Amino acid sequence: FQMESFFMDKYPVTNAQFDTFLKKSNYQPSDSVNFLKHWKNGKISKEQENLPVVYISYEDAKAYAKWAKKRLPTEIEWQYAAQTSDMRAWPWAKNTENIYREEEEITESLTVFKIKGIDPVYCNLGNGKIDPIGTYPKGRNPYGVEDLVGSVWQLTNDLYKSGSYDYIIMKGGSYYNPTSSWWYVQGGPRELHYRQQLLRVSQSFERNA
C-alpha cells in the first residue's frame, strides 16, 4: 500500500487560531446555531486561547482549513499520521499490554467500553476538563504529532453515505465522558484505529463541546 506524502499539523486548531481566521476572512456560517457557543459575545477569554476549538461543524472546519491553505486529512491519512508505519494502537508505544477495555452494561441492549490502564502522563483520561494543546508531550507519537487521543474528537475529510444517512468519521476520543448519550458517542481516549461515526443531521447538531 502506498499514499502520496502530506503534512500534518502538530496540534489541533486552537480558539486563538480560529479567532484569527474569523477576523481576517469575515466567515459567516450558513447555519449559525451553536456556532462557537462557548465564546462570550463572540470573544474568547485569555484562558481559552490555547484550547482546541469546539462548537464548530464540518463546514466550519473546512472553511478554516481552506483559509489557512490547508485541508482536513482524509480518514486514512489521519490513521497513518497517528499510527505511523508501526501501526500502533496508541501514539506513545507500540506495545501496551497494560491497557484494556472494561465493559459497562447500560441497558440490556447497550454495553459501552471504558479504556483502563493508561498512565495519565500520556493523555487526558476523560476527566471532563479540556486541556490546552501540548499538555501531554509524553503522549506524542514518533512523528512528533501530539494530542491525538483524549483531547477533542478530530474531524476527518471523508463523507460517507450508507444509503439511508450521511456521516463523517471522528478520531481520537475526547476529554469528555458522556453520562447520558452513549447511543451517540463514547468518551475518553480511544485507540487510534477506533472509528466514531458522526451523523450529518445539521451543522447545529454537529457543534458540540
Short mmCIF file of all heavy atoms in Angstrom, two decimals, residues 151-190:
data_model
loop_
_atom_site.label_atom_id
_atom_site.label_comp_id
_atom_site.label_asym_id
_atom_site.label_seq_id
_atom_site.Cartn_x
_atom_site.Cartn_y
_atom_site.Cartn_z
N SER A 151 -8.07 14.37 23.61
CA SER A 151 -8.17 15.83 23.56
C SER A 151 -9.60 16.19 23.15
O SER A 151 -10.50 16.20 23.98
CB SER A 151 -7.14 16.41 22.58
OG SER A 151 -7.29 17.81 22.47
N VAL A 152 -9.81 16.48 21.88
CA VAL A 152 -11.15 16.66 21.34
C VAL A 152 -11.30 15.70 20.15
O VAL A 152 -10.30 15.33 19.52
CB VAL A 152 -11.40 18.11 20.87
CG1 VAL A 152 -11.46 19.05 22.07
CG2 VAL A 152 -10.35 18.58 19.87
N TRP A 153 -12.52 15.30 19.86
CA TRP A 153 -12.75 14.48 18.68
C TRP A 153 -12.24 15.23 17.45
O TRP A 153 -12.49 16.44 17.30
CB TRP A 153 -14.23 14.17 18.51
CG TRP A 153 -14.75 13.11 19.43
CD1 TRP A 153 -15.54 13.30 20.53
CD2 TRP A 153 -14.52 11.71 19.34
NE1 TRP A 153 -15.81 12.09 21.12
CE2 TRP A 153 -15.20 11.10 20.43
CE3 TRP A 153 -13.80 10.90 18.45
CZ2 TRP A 153 -15.19 9.72 20.63
CZ3 TRP A 153 -13.78 9.52 18.67
CH2 TRP A 153 -14.48 8.95 19.74
N GLN A 154 -11.53 14.55 16.58
CA GLN A 154 -10.92 15.19 15.43
C GLN A 154 -11.64 14.79 14.15
O GLN A 154 -11.81 13.60 13.85
CB GLN A 154 -9.43 14.84 15.38
CG GLN A 154 -8.72 15.31 16.65
CD GLN A 154 -7.23 15.09 16.63
OE1 GLN A 154 -6.60 14.92 15.59
NE2 GLN A 154 -6.62 15.09 17.81
N LEU A 155 -12.06 15.80 13.40
CA LEU A 155 -12.82 15.57 12.17
C LEU A 155 -11.89 15.14 11.04
O LEU A 155 -10.78 15.66 10.90
CB LEU A 155 -13.54 16.84 11.74
CG LEU A 155 -14.59 17.42 12.69
CD1 LEU A 155 -15.09 18.75 12.18
CD2 LEU A 155 -15.76 16.45 12.84
N THR A 156 -12.34 14.20 10.23
CA THR A 156 -11.64 13.86 9.00
C THR A 156 -12.48 14.31 7.81
O THR A 156 -13.63 14.69 7.96
CB THR A 156 -11.34 12.35 8.93
OG1 THR A 156 -12.58 11.62 9.01
CG2 THR A 156 -10.42 11.92 10.06
N ASN A 157 -11.89 14.25 6.65
CA ASN A 157 -12.49 14.90 5.48
C ASN A 157 -13.53 14.06 4.75
O ASN A 157 -14.40 14.60 4.07
CB ASN A 157 -11.37 15.29 4.50
CG ASN A 157 -11.87 16.21 3.40
OD1 ASN A 157 -12.34 17.30 3.65
ND2 ASN A 157 -11.77 15.73 2.16
N ASP A 158 -13.42 12.75 4.85
CA ASP A 158 -14.26 11.88 4.02
C ASP A 158 -15.73 11.93 4.43
O ASP A 158 -16.06 11.86 5.61
CB ASP A 158 -13.77 10.43 4.10
CG ASP A 158 -12.34 10.29 3.61
OD1 ASP A 158 -11.96 11.02 2.69
OD2 ASP A 158 -11.61 9.44 4.16
N LEU A 159 -16.58 12.03 3.44
CA LEU A 159 -18.03 12.00 3.65
C LEU A 159 -18.55 10.65 3.16
O LEU A 159 -18.33 10.28 2.01
CB LEU A 159 -18.71 13.14 2.89
CG LEU A 159 -20.23 13.21 2.97
CD1 LEU A 159 -20.70 13.45 4.40
CD2 LEU A 159 -20.76 14.31 2.05
N TYR A 160 -19.20 9.91 4.04
CA TYR A 160 -19.69 8.58 3.71
C TYR A 160 -21.21 8.60 3.57
O TYR A 160 -21.90 9.36 4.26
CB TYR A 160 -19.30 7.58 4.80
CG TYR A 160 -17.82 7.36 4.94
CD1 TYR A 160 -17.05 8.16 5.79
CD2 TYR A 160 -17.16 6.35 4.22
CE1 TYR A 160 -15.68 7.96 5.93
CE2 TYR A 160 -15.80 6.14 4.35
CZ TYR A 160 -15.07 6.94 5.21
OH TYR A 160 -13.72 6.75 5.35
N LYS A 161 -21.72 7.72 2.71
CA LYS A 161 -23.16 7.59 2.50
C LYS A 161 -23.53 6.12 2.66
O LYS A 161 -22.97 5.26 1.97
CB LYS A 161 -23.55 8.10 1.11
CG LYS A 161 -23.29 9.58 0.90
CD LYS A 161 -23.66 10.01 -0.53
CE LYS A 161 -23.39 11.49 -0.75
NZ LYS A 161 -24.33 12.33 0.00
N SER A 162 -24.45 5.84 3.57
CA SER A 162 -24.83 4.45 3.82
C SER A 162 -26.01 4.01 2.96
O SER A 162 -26.36 2.84 2.92
CB SER A 162 -25.20 4.27 5.29
OG SER A 162 -26.43 4.91 5.57
N GLY A 163 -26.64 4.96 2.30
CA GLY A 163 -27.87 4.68 1.56
C GLY A 163 -29.07 5.25 2.26
O GLY A 163 -30.08 5.58 1.63
N SER A 164 -28.98 5.40 3.60
CA SER A 164 -30.08 5.99 4.37
C SER A 164 -29.64 7.24 5.13
O SER A 164 -30.48 8.03 5.53
CB SER A 164 -30.66 4.96 5.34
OG SER A 164 -29.65 4.48 6.21
N TYR A 165 -28.33 7.40 5.34
CA TYR A 165 -27.86 8.59 6.02
C TYR A 165 -26.40 8.87 5.63
O TYR A 165 -25.70 7.99 5.13
CB TYR A 165 -27.98 8.45 7.54
CG TYR A 165 -27.27 7.26 8.14
CD1 TYR A 165 -25.92 7.33 8.49
CD2 TYR A 165 -27.95 6.06 8.36
CE1 TYR A 165 -25.26 6.24 9.03
CE2 TYR A 165 -27.30 4.97 8.90
CZ TYR A 165 -25.96 5.05 9.24
OH TYR A 165 -25.31 3.98 9.77
N ASP A 166 -26.00 10.11 5.86
CA ASP A 166 -24.62 10.53 5.60
C ASP A 166 -23.89 10.64 6.95
O ASP A 166 -24.49 10.96 7.97
CB ASP A 166 -24.57 11.89 4.90
CG ASP A 166 -25.19 11.85 3.52
OD1 ASP A 166 -25.48 10.74 3.02
OD2 ASP A 166 -25.40 12.93 2.94
N TYR A 167 -22.60 10.40 6.92
CA TYR A 167 -21.82 10.57 8.15
C TYR A 167 -20.36 10.84 7.80
O TYR A 167 -19.90 10.56 6.69
CB TYR A 167 -21.93 9.33 9.05
CG TYR A 167 -21.38 8.05 8.46
CD1 TYR A 167 -20.07 7.63 8.71
CD2 TYR A 167 -22.19 7.23 7.65
CE1 TYR A 167 -19.58 6.46 8.18
CE2 TYR A 167 -21.69 6.05 7.13
CZ TYR A 167 -20.39 5.67 7.39
OH TYR A 167 -19.91 4.50 6.86
N ILE A 168 -19.65 11.42 8.78
CA ILE A 168 -18.21 11.58 8.68
C ILE A 168 -17.59 10.83 9.85
O ILE A 168 -18.29 10.43 10.78
CB ILE A 168 -17.79 13.07 8.68
CG1 ILE A 168 -18.39 13.80 9.88
CG2 ILE A 168 -18.15 13.75 7.39
CD1 ILE A 168 -18.04 15.27 9.94
N ILE A 169 -16.28 10.64 9.79
CA ILE A 169 -15.60 9.88 10.83
C ILE A 169 -14.78 10.81 11.72
O ILE A 169 -14.03 11.66 11.23
CB ILE A 169 -14.68 8.81 10.22
CG1 ILE A 169 -15.51 7.74 9.50
CG2 ILE A 169 -13.80 8.17 11.28
CD1 ILE A 169 -16.39 6.90 10.40
N MET A 170 -14.95 10.64 13.03
CA MET A 170 -14.14 11.36 14.01
C MET A 170 -13.15 10.39 14.62
O MET A 170 -13.43 9.19 14.74
CB MET A 170 -15.02 11.96 15.11
CG MET A 170 -16.10 12.91 14.61
SD MET A 170 -16.94 13.76 15.96
CE MET A 170 -17.68 12.37 16.84
N LYS A 171 -12.01 10.92 15.04
CA LYS A 171 -10.95 10.07 15.56
C LYS A 171 -10.42 10.58 16.89
O LYS A 171 -10.52 11.77 17.21
CB LYS A 171 -9.78 10.03 14.55
CG LYS A 171 -10.17 9.60 13.14
CD LYS A 171 -10.57 8.14 13.07
CE LYS A 171 -9.38 7.24 13.27
NZ LYS A 171 -9.72 5.81 13.11
N GLY A 172 -9.85 9.68 17.69
CA GLY A 172 -9.05 10.07 18.84
C GLY A 172 -9.72 10.10 20.20
O GLY A 172 -9.06 10.18 21.22
N GLY A 173 -11.04 10.10 20.23
CA GLY A 173 -11.70 10.19 21.53
C GLY A 173 -11.74 11.60 22.07
O GLY A 173 -11.44 12.56 21.37
N SER A 174 -12.09 11.73 23.34
CA SER A 174 -12.36 13.05 23.89
C SER A 174 -12.05 13.14 25.37
O SER A 174 -12.03 12.12 26.07
CB SER A 174 -13.84 13.39 23.65
OG SER A 174 -14.24 14.53 24.38
N TYR A 175 -11.85 14.36 25.83
CA TYR A 175 -11.66 14.64 27.26
C TYR A 175 -12.96 14.44 28.05
O TYR A 175 -12.95 14.41 29.28
CB TYR A 175 -11.19 16.08 27.45
CG TYR A 175 -12.26 17.10 27.10
CD1 TYR A 175 -13.12 17.61 28.08
CD2 TYR A 175 -12.45 17.54 25.78
CE1 TYR A 175 -14.12 18.51 27.76
CE2 TYR A 175 -13.44 18.44 25.46
CZ TYR A 175 -14.27 18.93 26.44
OH TYR A 175 -15.27 19.82 26.13
N TYR A 176 -14.07 14.32 27.34
CA TYR A 176 -15.39 14.30 27.98
C TYR A 176 -15.99 12.91 27.93
O TYR A 176 -16.03 12.28 26.87
CB TYR A 176 -16.31 15.29 27.28
CG TYR A 176 -17.73 15.30 27.81
CD1 TYR A 176 -18.01 15.78 29.09
CD2 TYR A 176 -18.78 14.84 27.04
CE1 TYR A 176 -19.30 15.78 29.59
CE2 TYR A 176 -20.09 14.84 27.53
CZ TYR A 176 -20.35 15.31 28.80
OH TYR A 176 -21.62 15.31 29.29
N ASN A 177 -16.46 12.43 29.06
CA ASN A 177 -17.17 11.16 29.14
C ASN A 177 -18.66 11.43 29.33
O ASN A 177 -19.07 11.89 30.40
CB ASN A 177 -16.66 10.33 30.33
CG ASN A 177 -15.60 9.32 29.92
OD1 ASN A 177 -15.79 8.58 28.96
ND2 ASN A 177 -14.49 9.30 30.63
N PRO A 178 -19.47 11.19 28.33
CA PRO A 178 -20.91 11.47 28.48
C PRO A 178 -21.54 10.55 29.50
O PRO A 178 -21.10 9.42 29.71
CB PRO A 178 -21.46 11.21 27.07
CG PRO A 178 -20.50 10.24 26.47
CD PRO A 178 -19.16 10.60 27.02
N THR A 179 -22.59 11.04 30.15
CA THR A 179 -23.30 10.24 31.15
C THR A 179 -24.69 9.85 30.69
O THR A 179 -25.37 9.10 31.37
CB THR A 179 -23.43 11.02 32.47
OG1 THR A 179 -24.10 12.27 32.22
CG2 THR A 179 -22.06 11.30 33.08
N SER A 180 -25.10 10.35 29.52
CA SER A 180 -26.46 10.03 29.08
C SER A 180 -26.59 9.87 27.57
O SER A 180 -27.68 9.64 27.08
CB SER A 180 -27.43 11.14 29.53
OG SER A 180 -27.04 12.39 28.97
N SER A 181 -25.49 9.97 26.82
CA SER A 181 -25.61 9.90 25.36
C SER A 181 -24.75 8.81 24.76
O SER A 181 -24.11 8.98 23.74
CB SER A 181 -25.24 11.25 24.74
OG SER A 181 -23.92 11.62 25.08
N TRP A 182 -24.71 7.64 25.43
CA TRP A 182 -23.87 6.54 24.94
C TRP A 182 -24.31 6.07 23.56
O TRP A 182 -23.53 5.50 22.81
CB TRP A 182 -23.95 5.36 25.91
CG TRP A 182 -23.55 5.70 27.31
CD1 TRP A 182 -22.28 5.79 27.81
CD2 TRP A 182 -24.43 6.00 28.40
NE1 TRP A 182 -22.31 6.11 29.14
CE2 TRP A 182 -23.63 6.25 29.54
CE3 TRP A 182 -25.80 6.07 28.53
CZ2 TRP A 182 -24.15 6.55 30.78
CZ3 TRP A 182 -26.33 6.37 29.77
CH2 TRP A 182 -25.52 6.61 30.87
N TRP A 183 -25.58 6.27 23.23
CA TRP A 183 -26.06 5.81 21.92
C TRP A 183 -25.34 6.54 20.80
O TRP A 183 -25.22 6.01 19.70
CB TRP A 183 -27.57 6.05 21.80
CG TRP A 183 -28.40 5.17 22.68
CD1 TRP A 183 -29.09 5.54 23.80
CD2 TRP A 183 -28.61 3.76 22.55
NE1 TRP A 183 -29.72 4.46 24.36
CE2 TRP A 183 -29.45 3.35 23.61
CE3 TRP A 183 -28.17 2.81 21.64
CZ2 TRP A 183 -29.86 2.03 23.77
CZ3 TRP A 183 -28.57 1.49 21.80
CH2 TRP A 183 -29.41 1.11 22.85
N TYR A 184 -24.89 7.75 21.08
CA TYR A 184 -24.29 8.56 20.02
C TYR A 184 -22.78 8.44 19.99
O TYR A 184 -22.17 8.26 18.95
CB TYR A 184 -24.68 10.03 20.20
CG TYR A 184 -26.17 10.26 20.23
CD1 TYR A 184 -26.81 10.61 21.41
CD2 TYR A 184 -26.93 10.10 19.09
CE1 TYR A 184 -28.18 10.81 21.45
CE2 TYR A 184 -28.30 10.28 19.12
CZ TYR A 184 -28.92 10.64 20.30
OH TYR A 184 -30.27 10.82 20.33
N VAL A 185 -22.16 8.57 21.15
CA VAL A 185 -20.70 8.60 21.19
C VAL A 185 -20.19 8.23 22.57
O VAL A 185 -20.82 8.56 23.57
CB VAL A 185 -20.18 10.01 20.79
CG1 VAL A 185 -20.67 11.05 21.77
CG2 VAL A 185 -18.67 10.05 20.68
N GLN A 186 -19.09 7.51 22.61
CA GLN A 186 -18.45 7.19 23.88
C GLN A 186 -17.26 8.13 24.07
O GLN A 186 -16.62 8.54 23.12
CB GLN A 186 -17.98 5.74 23.90
CG GLN A 186 -19.15 4.74 23.85
CD GLN A 186 -18.69 3.30 23.92
OE1 GLN A 186 -17.81 2.96 24.69
NE2 GLN A 186 -19.30 2.45 23.12
N GLY A 187 -16.98 8.46 25.33
CA GLY A 187 -15.93 9.42 25.61
C GLY A 187 -14.63 8.80 26.06
O GLY A 187 -14.44 7.59 26.00
N GLY A 188 -13.73 9.66 26.51
CA GLY A 188 -12.41 9.21 26.92
C GLY A 188 -11.52 8.97 25.72
O GLY A 188 -11.96 9.03 24.57
N PRO A 189 -10.23 8.71 25.96
CA PRO A 189 -9.32 8.44 24.84
C PRO A 189 -9.72 7.15 24.14
O PRO A 189 -10.22 6.21 24.78
CB PRO A 189 -7.96 8.31 25.52
CG PRO A 189 -8.27 7.90 26.94
CD PRO A 189 -9.56 8.59 27.27
N ARG A 190 -9.52 7.10 22.84
CA ARG A 190 -9.86 5.90 22.07
C ARG A 190 -8.66 5.47 21.24
O ARG A 190 -7.86 6.28 20.80
CB ARG A 190 -11.04 6.20 21.14
CG ARG A 190 -12.35 6.43 21.87
CD ARG A 190 -12.92 5.14 22.43
NE ARG A 190 -13.65 5.34 23.68
CZ ARG A 190 -14.25 4.36 24.35
NH1 ARG A 190 -14.22 3.12 23.92
NH2 ARG A 190 -14.86 4.63 25.48
#
